[in-house]
Amino acid sequence: MDYLFIYGTLLMQENPWGMYLSQQSEMVCQAKLSGFLYDAGEYPGAIYVPESDSYIYGSVMTLQNPDEALRIMDQYEGFGSEESQPNEFIRRKLAVKSDIGPLTCWVYLYNWSTQGLSRINSGDYLKFRFENT
């Protein structure tokens, strides 16, 4: 089973890419990833810090057609050798803590410097967006 942990704009139904993902996958559970979340302007950036007591909150999706879905999501996230280098986001398989236990998921992580970016202390992008609109 291929899982994708989403924590940012893909959670928003008004986002066409999020709508695509909701049609091509199924939400499994809520989850959290150790690390920090930053406001990169129009979207958040997650930095994985395995030993952190801080978390990034999101949802785990099960991908019905993983190769196709990840190819589409890679385009959205600007990940791949054909994209400008270094990629702003990289895709890694990481363990997340979920409502149903630990799961290994694909996660898009922010790959650029966070210098000058504001940290989203709650680790919850949707809550941050709601409070800042």
Side-chain angles (χ1 to χ4, degrees):
M1 188 75 56
D2 276 275
Y3 296 111
L4 176 66
F5 175 72
I6 59 174
Y7 58 85
T9 57
L10 291 173
L11 293 168
M12 299 169 15
Q13 288 302 307
E14 63 271 18
N15 178 329
W17 300 86
M19 188 177 299
Y20 165 83
L21 189 59
S22 69
Q23 294 168 352
Q24 301 298 318
S25 61
E26 194 172 312
M27 207 275 267
V28 176
C29 59
Q30 299 298 308
K32 60 186 180 179
L33 174 70
S34 295
F36 304 114
L37 193 61
Y38 289 88
D39 178 9
E42 296 294 314
Y43 47 84
I47 302 294
Y48 175 59
V49 183
E51 65 280 357
S52 175
D53 290 335
S54 292
Y55 292 98
I56 300 151
Y57 295 90
S59 298
V60 173
M61 310 296 285
T62 182
L63 303 175
Q64 294 169 358
N65 184 345
D67 292 339
E68 175 70 11
L70 289 172
R71 185 182 64 75
I72 299 293
M73 292 300 104
D74 285 353
Q75 290 175 359
Y76 177 66
E77 301 288 354
F79 171 70
S81 58
E82 67 285 351
E83 300 290 337
S84 60
Q85 300 295 323
N87 292 161
E88 185 175 10
F89 287 88
I90 57 172
R91 177 167 45 92
R92 289 186 51 200
K93 267 199 169 173
L94 297 171
V96 301
K97 297 176 183 177
S98 81
D99 299 345
I100 59 173
L103 293 172
T104 300
C105 303
W106 287 109
V107 182
Y108 288 93
L109 300 171
Y110 195 67
N111 192 41
W112 290 357
S113 171
T114 58
Q115 186 174 4
L117 300 182
S118 299
R119 187 167 154 206
I120 300 172
N121 292 320
S122 69
D124 184 331
Y125 183 67
L126 293 182
K127 179 180 174 185
F128 169 79
R129 285 279 302 233
F130 179 75
E131 291 173 351
N132 291 284
T133 54

